[in-house]
């Protein structure tokens, strides 16, 4: 059957009724059409890479590049195949690779002492006091300023830490191993809310709690874990997602499930009953306890995907309260940085944006792995903490599907018909769509020791992805394989 064109009548009607113009670009063009009596629909569009010419050419070279596509398939498969197992608790100096005796690890990309934000400097001072390297805060500050202590990112040592992210040599750390690949990740232990080292607090009560965690809680949990055996974290996290957690700011279900798993072993492991009761009581009163385990699990999954030549998959997003940094699987250990953004959200009474420090912490490793802000659809109650509505939470998750390599069906979302979380951030897609990864996070006071003053939503700076795509294009090379 041959093609039958529209009748002359229908074409005539089309022109009689006029045409609607789709305007892509400057809004003023559409406004002019409307003012002249025409019809116009404004299409919300911006040039890829934010209009950056160099990044635009780099993106054009990388889109559907066969070597990049193949590398991403490998990196993403490694991430999906990773099986994080909690295998033990140890002392940082003995477990964390490359941690020297006079070294303190911190969150985010590299930063010298004199450029650290207030909460991070306060946490460093607290760690020095905890280690016994100085007698008081003034002496600790002088020591930090002297150059006698080395400061390095936790990510450089297969580790992560929330907020300031501080890990010093004698602190206890979780040991999480990828059963499918053998790589390990480490994280410090969660202190609970209120005055905490991770927010820069370093008072005697903070140091005393850290000492108790090292001397009582860590040995108690280690004994219980030895009795229980290695604990699979991915199934526990998957179950917590279906119970309303998102793995970053809400860990109530995961903390409860962890305690449920461990208590029977704790009761029969032979550890001092008083100490074990204190440890269990502490965990039961701290809904955020599992966060540090969630972070270590995400770190070990993403490290399994790191180091695949030519891959544009993001394997780390982190911030130090001054700079926000990302790393790609295919660009080695290099950081791509931009100023840390301010978090927009809900503040505790008597606090507001003027009191807030810029975004801080390694906890955005959860978003990098497809949890946190990427899984908000499964945690509608989180909006009471970070702002917005349950519909916003679903919209945020849906939006992230446009910048990821796929869905992780190991982490399913009941509110979205049990589809997997969007995961595997592709730096190319971020730049092509101008959709920045979303992060839900706590807000720290800009001054050391005040603590958390709210929670909210922020976005990774697009500038980081612009740099990363340009760098990756230079490594991949412009000529394409036939």
């Amino acid at each position: 059957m041959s093609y039958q064109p529209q009748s002359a009548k229908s074409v005539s009607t089309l022109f009689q009724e006029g045409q609607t113009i789709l305007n892509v670009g400057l809004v003023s063009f559409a406004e002019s059409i409307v003012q002249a009596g025409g019809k116009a629909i404004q299409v919300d569009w911006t040039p890829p890479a934010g209009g950056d010419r160099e990044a635009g050419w780099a993106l054009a070279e990388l889109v559907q590049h066969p070597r990049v596509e193949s590398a991403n398939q490998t990196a993403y498969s490694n991430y999906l195949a990773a099986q994080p197992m909690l295998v033990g608790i140890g002392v940082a100096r003995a477990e964390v690779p490359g941690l020297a005796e006079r070294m303190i690890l911190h969150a985010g990309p590299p930063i010298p002492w004199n450029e650290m934000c207030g909460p991070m400097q306060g946490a460093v001072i607290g760690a020095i006091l905890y280690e016994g390297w100085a007698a008081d805060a003034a002496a600790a500050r002088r020591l930090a300023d002297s150059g006698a202590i080395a400061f390095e990112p936790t990510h450089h040592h297969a580790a992560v830490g929330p907020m300031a992210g501080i890990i010093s040599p004698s602190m206890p750390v979780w040991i999480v191993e990828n059963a499918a690949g053998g790589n390990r990740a480490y994280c410090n232990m969660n202190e609970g809310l209120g005055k905490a080292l991770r927010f820069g607090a370093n008072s005697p009560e903070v140091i005393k709690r850290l000492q108790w965690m090292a001397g009582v809680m860590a040995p108690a949990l280690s004994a219980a874990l030895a009795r229980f055996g290695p604990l699979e974290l991915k199934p526990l996290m998957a179950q917590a997602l279906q119970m309303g957690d998102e793995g970053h700011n809400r860990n109530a279900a995961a903390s409860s499930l962890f305690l449920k798993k461990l208590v029977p072993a704790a009761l029969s492991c032979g550890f001092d009953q008083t100490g074990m009761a204190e440890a269990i009581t502490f965990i039961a009163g701290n809904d955020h306890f599992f966060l540090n385990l969630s972070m270590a699990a995400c770190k070990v999954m993403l490290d399994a995907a790191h180091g695949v030549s030519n891959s544009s998959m993001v394997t780390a997003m982190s911030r130090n309260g001054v700079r926000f940094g990302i790393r790609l699987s295919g660009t080695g250990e290099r950081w791509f940085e931009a100023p840390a953004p301010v978090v927009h959200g809900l503040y505790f009474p008597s606090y507001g944006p003027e009191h807030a420090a810029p975004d801080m912490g390694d906890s955005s490793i959860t978003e990098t792995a497809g949890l946190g802000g990427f899984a908000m659809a499964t945690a509608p109650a989180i909006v009471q903490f970070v702002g917005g509505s349950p519909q916003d939470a679903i919209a945020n998750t849906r939006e992230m599907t446009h910048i990821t390599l796929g869905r992780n069906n190991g982490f399913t979302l009941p509110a979205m018909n049990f589809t997997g979380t969007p995961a595997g951030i592709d730096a190319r897609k971020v730049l092509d769509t101008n959709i920045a990864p979303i992060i839900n996070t706590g807000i720290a006071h800009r001054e050391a020791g005040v603590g958390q003053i709210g929670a909210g939503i922020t976005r990774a700076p697009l500038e980081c992805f612009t740099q990363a795509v340009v760098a990756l294009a230079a490594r991949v090379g412009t000529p394409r394989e036939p």
Side-chain angles (χ1 to χ4, degrees):
M1 181 181 293
S2 61
Y3 172 73
Q4 298 295 320
Q6 290 182 306
S7 67
K9 180 179 179 180
S10 64
V11 173
S12 174
T13 301
L14 173 65
F15 282 99
Q16 288 174 4
E17 292 178 352
Q19 300 183 43
T20 299
I21 307 299
L22 293 178
N23 184 63
V24 179
L26 295 176
V27 177
S28 58
F29 290 172
E31 293 173 344
S32 298
I33 294 169
V34 173
Q35 290 173 1
K39 297 179 182 179
I41 297 175
Q42 176 65 29
V43 177
D44 186 13
W45 178 84
T46 54
D52 184 288
R53 182 180 178 85
E54 182 183 14
W57 280 114
L59 179 63
E61 288 297 333
L62 294 180
V63 170
Q64 295 184 343
H65 195 295
R67 292 202 296 271
V68 178
E69 296 295 330
S70 176
N72 282 345
Q73 184 176 3
T74 298
Y76 190 64
S77 296
N78 290 347
Y79 152 77
L80 289 177
Q83 296 295 329
M85 306 280 291
L86 176 58
V87 297
I89 298 168
V91 179
R93 65 164 57 87
E95 300 293 343
V96 177
L99 178 59
E101 187 57 36
R102 284 294 178 110
M103 179 184 289
I104 293 177
L105 306 184
H106 62 78
I111 188 169
W113 159 258
N114 62 347
E115 293 180 14
M116 291 179 182
C117 65
M120 186 170 285
Q121 285 194 342
V124 167
I125 289 170
I128 292 173
L129 294 174
Y130 167 77
E131 294 291 342
W133 297 341
D136 55 43
R141 182 173 289 276
R142 289 193 298 271
L143 181 62
D145 198 41
S146 71
I149 296 175
F151 299 102
E152 293 188 3
T154 54
H155 274 288
H156 291 188
H157 298 264
V160 280
M163 301 308 291
I166 300 301
I167 298 177
S168 62
S170 63
M171 289 182 179
V173 290
W174 298 110
I175 305 168
V176 176
E177 183 174 300
N178 173 19
N183 60 297
R184 286 186 167 187
Y186 309 86
C187 190
N188 51 15
M189 307 187 88
N190 195 283
E191 309 158 75
L193 298 176
K195 302 290 185 181
L197 187 76
R198 69 181 183 276
F199 291 113
N202 51 44
S203 63
E205 65 179 286
V206 173
I207 306 305
K208 183 178 180 180
R209 185 193 306 120
L210 291 172
Q211 291 169 342
W212 172 82
M213 291 173 69
V216 178
M217 187 176 76
L221 296 180
S222 183
L225 188 60
R227 176 74 172 178
F228 181 88
L231 174 60
E232 291 185 273
L233 294 178
K234 187 182 279 189
L236 190 155
M237 294 162 68
Q239 185 177 357
L241 287 177
Q242 297 192 17
M243 295 170 67
D245 281 0
E246 39 71 78
H248 186 169
N249 268 299
R250 183 177 170 86
N251 285 281
S255 297
S256 298
L257 290 170
F258 174 75
L259 200 58
K260 181 182 176 182
K261 291 274 189 184
L262 220 58
V263 163
L267 294 175
S268 60
C269 69
F271 193 84
D272 172 68
Q273 291 186 0
T274 300
M276 186 64 75
E278 289 178 1
I280 291 173
T281 301
F282 180 83
I283 299 172
N286 180 8
D287 283 348
H288 288 279
F289 188 79
F290 192 83
L291 168 62
N292 298 47
L293 280 165
S294 175
M295 291 171 59
C298 291
K299 172 66 173 170
V300 88
M301 289 189 288
L302 289 163
D303 275 2
H306 191 71
V308 179
S309 181
N310 301 322
S311 173
S312 60
M313 180 175 164
V314 179
T315 51
M317 296 193 298
S318 190
R319 50 271 208 261
N320 56 33
V322 178
R323 307 287 293 175
F324 190 111
I326 70 169
R327 295 202 297 182
L328 301 190
S329 175
T331 52
E333 304 309 302
R334 181 177 174 183
W335 288 91
F336 304 98
E337 303 177 36
V342 174
V343 180
H344 303 283
L346 302 178
Y347 286 85
F348 300 161
S350 76
Y351 294 111
E354 68 277 12
H355 303 109
D359 198 20
M360 181 171 64
D362 290 327
S363 56
S364 50
I365 193 71
T366 57
E367 275 82 8
T368 319
L371 300 177
F374 283 54
M376 285 180 68
T378 197
I382 196 69
V383 300
Q384 296 178 313
F385 190 51
V386 301
S389 67
Q391 290 72 31
D392 293 331
I394 293 173
N396 287 332
T397 295
R398 185 173 288 117
E399 185 183 31
M400 294 302 99
T401 63
H402 298 295
I403 61 170
T404 46
L405 293 168
R407 289 182 176 272
N408 184 349
N409 291 323
F411 297 140
T412 57
L413 309 171
M416 300 184 73
N417 200 29
F418 291 93
T419 57
T421 60
I425 301 169
D426 186 344
R428 300 174 305 170
K429 292 185 178 182
V430 172
L431 220 55
D432 190 34
T433 62
N434 292 307
I435 297 174
I438 194 165
I439 299 167
N440 63 39
T441 184
I443 304 172
H445 197 284
R446 66 171 183 262
E447 296 177 5
V450 176
Q452 185 172 0
I453 60 173
I457 299 290
T458 191
R459 299 266 183 169
L462 284 172
E463 182 183 342
C464 298
F465 299 88
T466 300
Q467 298 170 24
V469 166
V470 170
L472 183 63
R475 291 174 70 108
V476 171
T478 54
R480 297 195 177 211
E481 296 176 352

